[in-house]
Amino acid sequence: MARREAARLLRRLGPLAVESWTRGMPHSQHESANRIVNSCRRFHWIPSLQRPLCGPTTSGGIYEGQSSAKKACEVQKHTFGSAATHIQRNPAYSELNSDDVSYFKSILGENGVVQDEDRVAVANVDWMGKYSGASQLLLLPKNTTEVSKILSYCNTRRLAVVPQGGNTGLVGGSVPVYDEVIVGLSGMDKIISFDNVNGILTCEAGCVLENLSNFVENEGFIMPLDLGAKGSCHIGGNVSTNAGGLRFIRYGSLHGSVLGLEVVLADGTILDMLTTLRKDNTGYDLKHLFIGSEGSLGVVTKISVLTPAKLPSTNVAFLSCNDYKSCQKLLLAARRSLGEILSAFEFMDHHCIDLAMRHLEGVHNPLPASPYKFYVLIEITGSDESYDKTKLEAFLLRSMEDGLVADGVIAQDISQASNFWRIREGISEASVKVGAVYKYDLSIPVEKLYDIVEEMRCRLGDSAEVLGYGHLGDGNLHLNIVSSKYDDNTLERIEPFVYEWTSAQRGSISAEHGLGLMKAEKIHYSKSPEAVQLMASIKKLLDPNSILNPYKVLPQSVL
Amino acid sequence: MARREAARLLRRLGPLAVESWTRGMPHSQHESANRIVNSCRRFHWIPSLQRPLCGPTTSGGIYEGQSSAKKACEVQKHTFGSAATHIQRNPAYSELNSDDVSYFKSILGENGVVQDEDRVAVANVDWMGKYSGASQLLLLPKNTTEVSKILSYCNTRRLAVVPQGGNTGLVGGSVPVYDEVIVGLSGMDKIISFDNVNGILTCEAGCVLENLSNFVENEGFIMPLDLGAKGSCHIGGNVSTNAGGLRFIRYGSLHGSVLGLEVVLADGTILDMLTTLRKDNTGYDLKHLFIGSEGSLGVVTKISVLTPAKLPSTNVAFLSCNDYKSCQKLLLAARRSLGEILSAFEFMDHHCIDLAMRHLEGVHNPLPASPYKFYVLIEITGSDESYDKTKLEAFLLRSMEDGLVADGVIAQDISQASNFWRIREGISEASVKVGAVYKYDLSIPVEKLYDIVEEMRCRLGDSAEVLGYGHLGDGNLHLNIVSSKYDDNTLERIEPFVYEWTSAQRGSISAEHGLGLMKAEKIHYSKSPEAVQLMASIKKLLDPNSILNPYKVLPQSVL
C-alpha cells in the first residue's frame, strides 16, 4: 500500500468509531461496533454444574468403608485429552471415616466441613466437565492455622488431599481423582496489606484475581498477571500453577513477580517465606519450589507480589495478516518499534475467529468478514496517551506499507477494546460450546509454532476442527481440537503425536497450564530422566506420604 | 524554585556541556567535564594479587599428608566483616594426594591441572584480600563432561570442591576456606547460540559478563543484568549468586530472566534443564534451586537467558537532594512519571561522593562542591531520543519546583554519562582503598532504609566512616564501614547490631550478594528455622557428602 493511501486512511480514524484502514465499513457496521457496550473487559468462568462426562456421580453416603473406595476406583478410568486410563487408586491412602469428619468439625466448625452432595459435587468436577473425582468431603479453612491442622492430621492418617482454588484449571489439577479430601481456599480471601509506595500486595491465597486487580487499580497499580479466568481464579492457584496469561510479555513470570509466600507443608509445618522485599539472596530461594508445583509440594496460603504502576494510557489494535510469516515479522517489528510500551501480542487463526463469532454472544468481528488467515491483537500501555497512540499508528502504518498487516483497527474506546479482548479471551469458552475439546498448551520456538497446527489439520481431516491461537510474544501456542463429542479415534490421532512433535522441537508440553492429571505421565516428553528423578526426590522429601494432590504432575512410576 | 527560573536553566543545557541547573559552573569545570574521556562505561575488577590479610600463605608442596591439612586448619581463623572464627575443617573430607592429581591430569590434561603456587594463590584469595583459603589445586575443565568427571570423582573420594567463576564476590563464597579443590570455570567461555528474533542467548558458564554484553549489543539486545564487576565476573557466577545489579529495577531478577540451565550435581549427574522457552510449566521448575544457591547444590555449566531488546535512547541524570525523604519522594515520582523508561535509580550519600573523589582517578563531581547530603543517579532507556529526553527534563523540572531535587545535571554525551556511572560504581573500589571495609548488603523497606546508616554513624563515632548507597529503586542498601585497618572493637560495634536491626525490620541480611562464608551462620536473622531446616534437607538431598562449596550459605549446625 502506498504511504499516502495508508496515511489518508489513518487520518480517517475518528473518535468513537472503529474503522478499517484499508476500506470503509458500512455505516451499519460502525453503529454495530458502537453498540457493543461491554463495561467489563473480561468474562468470568462459571464452574460447570454439569455432571462429569466420565466416571460415576458422587451420590451415596460416606463411612461405607470399602464401598466408597470401590466407587472411587471407578472414576477417572477414561478422560479425554490425555487419558489417565491406567492410574489406580493408591491403596496406601486411608479412607475417610466418621472420626475424621468429627475431627475436622472440631477444628473448622460445622460451616467449614461440607458434606452436602451438591456442593461437594461441584468441587469434584472441573469447569469443562472433563475431569471428575468422587470426594465426599470439602473442607473450608479460614486461616493458615486451620490449613496446618488439616494437613497435619491428613498426613498422620494418610488421607490424600487436593487443594482447590477457583477450580479454573484446564488439566484436571484442581479436582480429586478418587476420594481425596478437597481443601478449598475460598474462605481465605483477605487482603493483608498494600504498600502503595512500592506497589507490594500481601494477601491470602483465596483472593480472586479480579478482586485483587480492582483493589490495586484503585491504588494506582495493576496485577502483574491477567487471564481470562480472572473472575473466578484465585491468586493461590495462579501461583501454584505459575499462571502465565496476557501480561507475561510485559511483566514476565510469577517467578519474577512473587516476592514472598507462606506455605503449609504436607506435615502441617507452616513455612514463612512471606517477605516483601524486592531482593533477598539469604539462602536458597525456596518459594520457587512452590510456584508452579500445582499444590503437590505444599499448600500456598499467603502471597506477597510486586504490582507494577498502572500507566494511564492503553491502546489496543486488532489486525489481520495474510500468512503466519507476517505474524512473526510483525512480532519482531513490534518488539523493536513499540519496545517498552508493548503489553500484549496475541494471535489467532481464522478458525478461532469463526468459532468465536458462532458461539460467543455480544462479540463482533471488527474487521470485515474476510479472507484473512490470521489475526493479531496488539496492546500497548504507557504513560502518555497521545504520544503512545501516535507511536502505535506510525508503527501500524509502517507495517501496512511493509505488507505485514493486511487490515486493522484501533479501538477508540473501552467498549471496543473490550470487544477485541473478548474475542481473544472467548476462544476457550467458545471451544467448549462445540461439545468436546482436546486442549494442548505448548511452548514452541516461534518460527515453528504454527507448523503443528497445520500438521494436525492434515492428520484429522474433517473429523475435527483444529484451532491455533495464543501468546505469540511468549512462543506459547494453544492448540485446541474441537468436535461434537469425545472419541478414542480422534484422541489416537492426536496423541502421542502432539507430544512427540513438541519434544522433537525441544518445546514444552505445558507452557502455562501445568501438567495436572492430564499430562503427569507425559512429563518425559519435555524433561530429561535425571530432571524427573530429581523432581520425584524433592516430592518425597517434602511429602513423604504423598498426600498432596496425588496422581498429578509426576508419573506414578517415579514416586 | 519558580517555574520560569527552572525552565530558563533547563534551556541553558547546551550540547556537550555538563551544566548545573541552579547555577553556572566556572569555565574550567566545564572543560574538566569535557576532558573526561572514558570510552568504557564500566571498570573491571582486577583480582587482587596481594596476600590475604589473615591466614597463612599457601606455600609448601602438597602430598604431605596431615601437614597440608594442618596448614589449612590455620586459615580462616579470623575474617573481618562477620568472623568465621568458629568453623573447623570438616574431618570427613579427604586430603588431596598424588593419585588424585594423576587422575585429574588423565581427564583434563596437564594444562587443566594447575599446581603452580602463584596461580593457585591468586585463586585462593578474593579480590578484597579478605577471605583466603589454602587450596593446593586449581582445576580448569573445558566442558561439561570434564566437570562431571571431576565432581563424580571428588564425590566418591570425599574431596571438597569450591566452584569459582570470576572471583568477584564480596562474601567469601568463591574462594576455598581450607584445602578445597578449586574448580575454575574460565575455560568454559563459549557462546553456544543466539536467537536474534527472540533475544535468547545460550552460553557456557565461564563467559565474562561484559563479553556477553558486547556480543548481544552487536545483535541489538542487552544483557538483563549489569554490574560493576562486569569486566571480570562470569555469567555462571552471576546465576549462582543471583546477582542483582544496576538493571534490576527495569528487568528484574535472574529468576525471571534465566530460561534454562545445565548443572552438574555433586555426584557428577548432568542435569539438562537448558530450554530456551519463555514459558515452561512442565513439572517443578528445578533451575530456580541453582539460581542463588552459590554453587552449593550444583555447578552451573550452561545458561540460556532472555535478553531484552536494546533501545536506542539512554539518558542519565546526576542529582542532589537535601534530605533522604526527598530521595524517597523522587523515587515515587520517577516511577509514576518515567514509568516504562526508568532503567536505574541509584542513591549515594555525600560521604560516598567525598570518598569517590578522594580515591578514584579520573572522576569528577559534576555538581559544585556542595552542602548536599544525598545524590541520585537516574537513568532512562527508551526508543525515542528526543521524546525521552523531553520527558526526563519535564520530570526534573517538576521535581525541582516541588523541592525534591536541589541541583542536577543531565549527561550530554557518553563520556559524561560514564563519569556519572563511574562515581556510583566506583564507591566499592574507593572503599577498599581506605584500608579496611566492613561491607553489608541489606534489603530494607525504603522508608527505613537510611535509618541504619545514621544509627551506625552514632554507634561508631569517629572510629570509622559510614557510607550508605545502593539501589534505592529496589530497596537495597549497601552499607560500607571504612577505616584504616580491621579491628575487633569496630566489628563488635557493628555486629550483631546490623543483623538484629535488619531482622527487626523484616529485612534481608543479603539482598544481592549472597551469604557465602561471611554470613552462613547469620542466616537465621532473615529466615525462619523451618525455612533453614528445609534448605538443609535440600542440601543433603542434592549433595549428601557435602562436597560442594562447604562452610558456605548454611550454618554448619543444620548440616
Side-chain angles (χ1 to χ4, degrees):
Chain A
M1 179 191 297
R3 187 173 186 89
R4 194 187 301 176
E5 170 68 354
R8 188 184 64 76
L9 290 164
L10 271 172
R11 274 197 301 274
R12 282 176 41 211
L13 287 168
L16 298 175
V18 173
E19 284 201 42
S20 165
W21 302 328
T22 52
R23 64 184 67 79
M25 281 182 187
H27 183 68
S28 62
Q29 207 164 341
H30 280 178
E31 279 193 339
S32 158
N34 289 331
R35 270 202 307 273
I36 302 162
V37 177
N38 184 354
S39 65
C40 173
R41 201 182 115 193
R42 306 288 160 75
F43 65 100
H44 299 195
W45 297 112
I46 308 296
S48 170
L49 283 167
Q50 73 182 98
R51 285 279 157 219
L53 292 169
C54 332
T57 66
T58 53
S59 61
I62 57 168
Y63 325 138
E64 294 168 20
Q66 282 303 96
S67 68
S68 75
K70 270 186 199 145
K71 202 168 283 169
C73 287
E74 299 298 313
V75 303
Q76 297 295 351
K77 284 271 173 63
H78 202 155
T79 57
F80 289 93
S82 292
T85 319
H86 305 298
I87 293 177
Q88 298 296 315
R89 183 181 184 279
N90 183 344
Y93 298 131
S94 304
E95 287 170 38
L96 194 73
N97 64 32
S98 58
D99 289 346
D100 300 327
V101 175
S102 299
Y103 175 76
F104 292 131
K105 284 183 179 171
S106 78
I107 57 168
L108 305 175
E110 289 285 339
N111 290 339
V113 180
V114 180
Q115 296 173 275
D116 172 77
E117 280 186 24
D118 288 341
R119 288 179 68 192
V120 176
V122 171
N124 259 314
V125 62
D126 74 320
W127 73 274
M128 298 178 296
K130 199 162 159 185
Y131 299 94
S132 63
S135 177
Q136 295 177 324
L137 192 65
L138 166 65
L139 301 179
L140 298 172
K142 287 281 185 195
N143 55 54
T144 303
T145 307
E146 290 182 358
V147 175
S148 167
K149 285 179 179 168
I150 292 169
L151 294 192
S152 172
Y153 181 85
C154 289
N155 190 48
T156 307
R157 268 277 292 138
R158 304 289 195 275
L159 285 168
V161 167
V162 55
Q164 189 173 82
N167 197 9
T168 59
L170 297 163
V171 292
S174 58
V175 290
V177 179
Y178 290 103
D179 56 343
E180 299 92 287
V181 172
I182 304 168
V183 179
L185 277 293
S186 57
M188 294 178 63
D189 60 351
K190 285 190 280 300
I191 289 170
I192 298 165
S193 66
F194 187 70
D195 168 352
N196 63 8
V197 175
N198 302 299
I200 298 167
L201 172 73
T202 306
C203 66
E204 289 184 322
C207 292
V208 170
L209 178 60
E210 189 166 60
N211 295 345
L212 295 178
S213 215
N214 293 338
F215 174 84
V216 300
E217 285 196 25
N218 279 336
E219 301 278 341
F221 293 82
I222 61 166
M223 292 299 287
L225 81 163
D226 187 18
L227 51 155
K230 71 190 292 188
S232 302
C233 66
H234 292 182
I235 187 71
N238 298 148
V239 168
S240 297
T241 58
N242 190 28
L246 304 160
R247 290 177 183 158
F248 192 98
I249 193 173
R250 177 75 165 260
Y251 298 111
S253 148
L254 286 173
H255 284 285
S257 304
V258 170
L259 300 179
L261 293 180
E262 180 191 74
V263 173
V264 181
L265 300 181
D267 66 359
T269 299
I270 298 170
L271 201 59
D272 176 4
M273 306 169 287
L274 198 64
T275 62
T276 54
L277 306 166
R278 281 216 68 183
K279 287 181 174 175
D280 183 13
N281 278 356
T282 310
Y284 308 154
D285 200 346
L286 296 174
K287 67 172 179 278
H288 295 286
L289 276 175
F290 304 95
I291 300 174
S293 57
E294 304 182 48
S296 67
L297 296 180
V299 177
V300 172
T301 46
K302 293 190 187 120
I303 290 119
S304 70
V305 63
L306 186 69
T307 68
K310 184 182 179 182
L311 298 173
S313 139
T314 298
N315 283 283
V316 188
F318 194 83
L319 317 170
S320 62
C321 301
N322 286 320
D323 50 42
Y324 180 67
K325 192 81 187 165
S326 298
C327 299
Q328 281 184 70
K329 287 183 181 167
L330 190 66
L331 170 62
L332 192 60
R335 280 220 179 94
R336 293 270 173 226
S337 301
L338 301 173
E340 68 277 14
I341 56 172
L342 182 64
S343 56
F345 193 105
E346 299 290 313
F347 100 113
M348 300 145 268
D349 64 19
H350 71 95
H351 299 268
C352 299
I353 301 292
D354 297 347
L355 189 88
M357 295 308 133
R358 284 205 304 277
H359 292 285
L360 299 180
E361 280 178 32
V363 300
H364 156 78
N365 185 350
L367 298 176
S370 67
Y372 309 123
K373 289 193 174 155
F374 294 93
Y375 294 81
V376 168
L377 185 158
I378 291 179
E379 185 188 79
I380 57 167
T381 311
S383 54
D384 186 327
E385 179 68 33
S386 75
Y387 173 76
D388 292 350
K389 196 158 192 165
T390 304
K391 197 169 181 180
L392 178 62
E393 285 171 0
F395 163 70
L396 295 174
L397 183 66
R398 276 196 308 278
S399 303
M400 293 184 81
E401 285 175 352
D402 295 344
L404 304 182
V405 169
D407 199 355
V409 285
I410 298 177
Q412 299 298 308
D413 61 21
I414 183 75
S415 79
Q416 292 173 3
S418 296
N419 179 53
F420 298 176
W421 271 114
R422 178 81 175 96
I423 297 169
R424 164 61 189 86
E425 293 186 282
I427 299 168
S428 190
E429 185 189 355
S431 308
V432 173
K433 289 187 179 173
V434 175
V437 52
Y438 307 81
K439 294 179 84 76
Y440 301 91
D441 162 47
L442 311 170
S443 270
I444 300 170
V446 173
E447 57 279 12
K448 301 210 169 183
L449 183 141
Y450 201 70
D451 292 357
I452 180 72
V453 183
E454 288 172 334
E455 287 203 38
M456 195 58 82
R457 219 164 258 149
C458 289
R459 286 178 73 85
L460 292 171
D462 294 335
S463 66
E465 190 171 10
V466 181
L467 313 175
Y469 65 102
H471 316 290
L472 196 66
D474 312 319
N476 180 189
L477 172 73
H478 294 315
L479 173 70
N480 280 12
I481 294 148
V482 295
S483 63
S484 56
K485 61 178 178 54
Y486 290 106
D487 75 272
D488 284 330
N489 283 341
T490 303
L491 186 60
E492 278 165 18
R493 277 186 282 175
I494 300 171
E495 296 186 21
F497 171 76
V498 63
Y499 298 125
E500 287 167 353
W501 192 95
T502 304
S503 181
Q505 317 301 326
R506 281 188 75 96
S508 167
I509 61 161
S510 182
E512 60 172 11
H513 291 173
L515 294 170
L517 177 65
M518 174 182 175
K519 291 176 284 189
E521 302 290 330
K522 316 291 179 193
I523 192 169
H524 58 276
Y525 285 108
S526 288
K527 296 291 164 184
S528 70
E530 295 82 10
V532 175
Q533 199 53 57
L534 181 53
M535 291 179 204
S537 300
I538 288 170
K539 168 74 177 173
K540 288 174 196 163
L541 177 71
L542 272 87
D543 181 16
N545 296 327
S546 210
I547 64 160
L548 288 173
N549 222 0
Y551 320 110
K552 321 275 177 71
V553 190
L554 296 177
Q556 294 304 295
S557 57
V558 298
L559 290 174
Chain B
M1 179 189 301
R3 185 174 190 90
R4 192 187 302 174
E5 169 69 353
R8 189 184 65 76
L9 290 164
L10 272 172
R11 274 198 300 277
R12 281 177 41 211
L13 287 168
L16 298 175
V18 174
E19 284 201 43
S20 165
W21 302 328
T22 51
R23 65 184 65 80
M25 281 182 187
H27 183 69
S28 62
Q29 207 164 344
H30 280 176
E31 278 194 340
S32 159
N34 289 330
R35 271 201 309 273
I36 302 162
V37 178
N38 183 355
S39 65
C40 173
R41 200 182 114 195
R42 306 289 159 76
F43 66 99
H44 298 196
W45 297 112
I46 308 299
S48 169
L49 283 167
Q50 72 183 99
R51 286 280 156 217
L53 293 169
C54 334
T57 66
T58 54
S59 62
I62 56 168
Y63 325 139
E64 296 167 19
Q66 282 301 97
S67 68
S68 74
K70 272 185 198 147
K71 200 168 285 170
C73 287
E74 299 299 314
V75 302
Q76 298 295 350
K77 285 272 174 64
H78 203 154
T79 57
F80 288 93
S82 291
T85 318
H86 306 299
I87 293 177
Q88 297 295 316
R89 183 181 184 278
N90 182 343
Y93 298 131
S94 304
E95 287 171 38
L96 193 74
N97 64 32
S98 58
D99 289 346
D100 301 327
V101 175
S102 299
Y103 175 76
F104 293 131
K105 284 184 179 170
S106 77
I107 56 167
L108 304 175
E110 290 285 339
N111 290 340
V113 180
V114 180
Q115 297 172 275
D116 173 77
E117 280 185 26
D118 287 341
R119 288 178 69 192
V120 177
V122 170
N124 259 315
V125 62
D126 74 319
W127 73 275
M128 298 178 295
K130 199 163 160 183
Y131 299 95
S132 63
S135 177
Q136 294 175 325
L137 192 65
L138 165 65
L139 301 180
L140 297 172
K142 286 282 185 194
N143 56 52
T144 303
T145 307
E146 291 181 358
V147 175
S148 168
K149 285 180 179 166
I150 292 169
L151 294 193
S152 173
Y153 180 85
C154 289
N155 191 48
T156 307
R157 269 277 291 139
R158 305 287 194 276
L159 285 168
V161 167
V162 55
Q164 188 174 83
N167 196 9
T168 60
L170 297 163
V171 292
S174 57
V175 290
V177 179
Y178 290 103
D179 56 342
E180 300 92 284
V181 172
I182 304 167
V183 178
L185 277 294
S186 57
M188 295 179 63
D189 61 350
K190 285 190 280 299
I191 289 170
I192 298 166
S193 67
F194 187 70
D195 169 352
N196 62 9
V197 175
N198 302 298
I200 297 167
L201 172 74
T202 306
C203 66
E204 290 184 322
C207 292
V208 170
L209 179 59
E210 187 167 59
N211 295 344
L212 295 177
S213 214
N214 293 338
F215 175 83
V216 301
E217 285 197 24
N218 279 336
E219 301 278 340
F221 293 81
I222 60 166
M223 291 299 286
L225 81 162
D226 187 19
L227 51 155
K230 72 190 294 187
S232 302
C233 67
H234 292 183
I235 187 71
N238 298 148
V239 168
S240 297
T241 57
N242 189 29
L246 304 160
R247 290 178 183 159
F248 192 99
I249 192 173
R250 176 76 165 261
Y251 298 111
S253 147
L254 287 173
H255 284 285
S257 305
V258 170
L259 300 179
L261 292 180
E262 179 190 75
V263 173
V264 181
L265 300 181
D267 66 359
T269 299
I270 298 170
L271 200 60
D272 177 4
M273 307 169 288
L274 198 64
T275 61
T276 53
L277 307 165
R278 279 216 70 183
K279 286 180 174 176
D280 183 13
N281 279 355
T282 309
Y284 309 153
D285 200 345
L286 297 175
K287 68 173 179 276
H288 295 287
L289 277 176
F290 304 95
I291 300 174
S293 56
E294 306 183 46
S296 68
L297 297 179
V299 177
V300 172
T301 46
K302 292 188 188 122
I303 290 119
S304 70
V305 62
L306 187 68
T307 67
K310 182 182 179 181
L311 299 173
S313 137
T314 298
N315 283 284
V316 188
F318 194 83
L319 318 169
S320 62
C321 300
N322 286 320
D323 51 42
Y324 180 66
K325 192 82 186 163
S326 297
C327 298
Q328 280 184 71
K329 287 183 180 168
L330 190 66
L331 170 62
L332 192 60
R335 280 220 178 92
R336 293 272 172 224
S337 302
L338 301 173
E340 68 277 13
I341 56 172
L342 183 63
S343 54
F345 193 105
E346 299 289 313
F347 101 111
M348 299 146 268
D349 64 20
H350 72 94
H351 298 268
C352 299
I353 301 291
D354 297 345
L355 190 87
M357 295 308 132
R358 283 203 306 275
H359 292 286
L360 299 180
E361 279 178 31
V363 300
H364 155 78
N365 185 351
L367 298 175
S370 67
Y372 308 123
K373 289 194 174 155
F374 293 93
Y375 293 81
V376 168
L377 186 157
I378 291 180
E379 186 190 77
I380 57 166
T381 312
S383 54
D384 185 326
E385 179 69 33
S386 76
Y387 173 77
D388 292 349
K389 195 158 193 165
T390 304
K391 198 169 181 180
L392 179 62
E393 286 171 359
F395 163 70
L396 294 175
L397 183 64
R398 276 196 308 279
S399 302
M400 293 184 81
E401 285 174 353
D402 294 345
L404 304 183
V405 169
D407 198 355
V409 286
I410 297 178
Q412 299 298 308
D413 61 22
I414 184 75
S415 79
Q416 292 173 4
S418 296
N419 179 53
F420 297 177
W421 271 114
R422 178 82 176 95
I423 297 169
R424 164 62 188 85
E425 293 186 282
I427 298 168
S428 191
E429 185 189 354
S431 307
V432 173
K433 289 188 180 172
V434 176
V437 51
Y438 306 82
K439 292 179 85 75
Y440 301 91
D441 161 48
L442 311 170
S443 270
I444 300 169
V446 174
E447 58 278 14
K448 301 209 169 183
L449 183 140
Y450 200 70
D451 293 357
I452 179 71
V453 182
E454 288 172 336
E455 289 203 38
M456 194 58 80
R457 218 163 260 152
C458 290
R459 287 178 73 83
L460 292 171
D462 294 336
S463 66
E465 190 171 10
V466 181
L467 313 175
Y469 65 101
H471 315 290
L472 195 66
D474 311 319
N476 181 187
L477 172 73
H478 293 315
L479 173 69
N480 281 12
I481 295 148
V482 295
S483 63
S484 56
K485 62 179 179 53
Y486 291 106
D487 75 273
D488 284 329
N489 282 342
T490 304
L491 186 61
E492 277 165 20
R493 276 186 284 174
I494 300 171
E495 297 185 23
F497 171 77
V498 63
Y499 298 125
E500 287 167 352
W501 192 96
T502 304
S503 181
Q505 316 301 326
R506 279 188 75 94
S508 167
I509 61 160
S510 181
E512 60 172 11
H513 291 172
L515 294 170
L517 176 65
M518 174 181 174
K519 291 176 282 188
E521 301 292 330
K522 317 290 180 194
I523 192 170
H524 59 276
Y525 285 108
S526 288
K527 297 291 164 182
S528 70
E530 295 81 10
V532 175
Q533 199 54 57
L534 181 53
M535 291 179 204
S537 300
I538 288 170
K539 168 71 177 175
K540 288 174 195 162
L541 177 70
L542 272 87
D543 181 17
N545 296 327
S546 210
I547 63 160
L548 288 173
N549 220 1
Y551 320 109
K552 320 275 178 71
V553 190
L554 296 177
Q556 293 304 294
S557 56
V558 298
L559 290 174

